[in-house]
Amino acid sequence: MSAADRATQQVHTLYTNHHGWLYGWLRRKLGNACDAADLAHDTFVRVMVSRRLPAQLGEEPRALLTHIAKGLVIDHWRRQDVERAYLEAVAYLPEPEVPSPETRLLIIEALMRIDAMLTSLPARTREVFLLAQLDGLTLHQIAERTRIPVITVRRHIHKALMACMAVA
């Protein structure tokens, strides 16, 4: 049996032995069978595309499966929060100005990338950037509010703008 055949067999065994359990765990966590099925599938896809073979997962593969699934659940909930906020924002638009479902999906995907980028920034950098972008404060106003030097404020904003360009 080739290495590829062994790996395929190991994934099949892992899936057979643990999919039902993972699906049930996700269904209880999410309260939704469809989302649970999607996230269970995504969990096994993550295992398959990783460089670790199921045989290398150790004695407790459910620990790794749970760890991966928890991250996917958090991403799922974050996406729901972003989508909910977006829908609330466009709920008051006149009908002709409401974006199409395709545009809505593109906007939500962009918002998810922005959210992930902001989350990845250090807390102080994120705070400074949001004070500049959302509150419209100047460098000097931010420096006064945060009690950090203007040059440091400038560095934080530069770092955040570079992160924005990286996801663009």
Side-chain angles (χ1 to χ4, degrees):
M1 182 181 284
S2 73
D5 290 338
R6 274 194 305 278
T8 301
Q9 183 60 42
Q10 290 171 347
V11 169
H12 182 288
T13 301
L14 179 72
Y15 185 88
T16 302
N17 292 343
H18 301 289
H19 178 268
W21 165 82
L22 182 63
Y23 169 73
W25 182 82
L26 285 165
R27 200 165 119 205
R28 286 187 300 279
K29 191 86 138 152
L30 298 169
N32 180 316
C34 293
D35 289 339
D38 287 344
L39 294 185
H41 171 79
D42 291 349
T43 301
F44 283 98
V45 168
R46 293 253 175 119
V47 170
M48 289 188 309
V49 300
S50 76
R51 297 186 189 253
R52 296 177 74 178
L53 294 173
Q56 298 171 328
L57 298 180
E59 295 295 315
E60 287 296 323
R62 287 185 179 183
L64 178 62
L65 293 173
T66 303
H67 177 74
I68 294 168
K70 282 180 180 178
L72 292 171
V73 167
I74 290 168
D75 291 346
H76 174 76
W77 285 337
R78 182 175 287 137
R79 181 182 176 88
Q80 283 183 330
D81 288 345
V82 168
E83 189 166 356
R84 190 176 307 112
Y86 170 76
L87 291 174
E88 288 172 7
V90 299
Y92 299 104
L93 290 176
E95 186 64 35
E97 294 179 25
V98 174
S100 70
E102 296 83 11
T103 302
R104 180 177 117 186
L105 180 63
L106 292 172
I107 291 170
I108 290 170
E109 290 298 322
L111 291 171
M112 290 302 300
R113 286 193 308 274
I114 292 166
D115 179 62
M117 181 276 301
L118 288 172
T119 302
S120 73
L121 292 174
R124 180 62 87 167
T125 302
R126 182 174 48 251
E127 175 191 14
V128 167
F129 182 69
L130 293 176
L131 286 171
Q133 298 301 310
L134 298 182
D135 295 345
L137 299 182
T138 66
L139 297 177
H140 294 286
Q141 291 169 327
I142 295 169
E144 288 175 12
R145 183 178 285 189
T146 59
R147 293 189 169 92
I148 58 177
V150 172
I151 189 70
T152 304
V153 169
R154 188 177 310 221
R155 286 186 191 125
H156 283 297
I157 291 175
H158 180 264
K159 183 176 186 176
L161 288 173
M162 294 304 290
C164 287
M165 291 177 67
V167 297

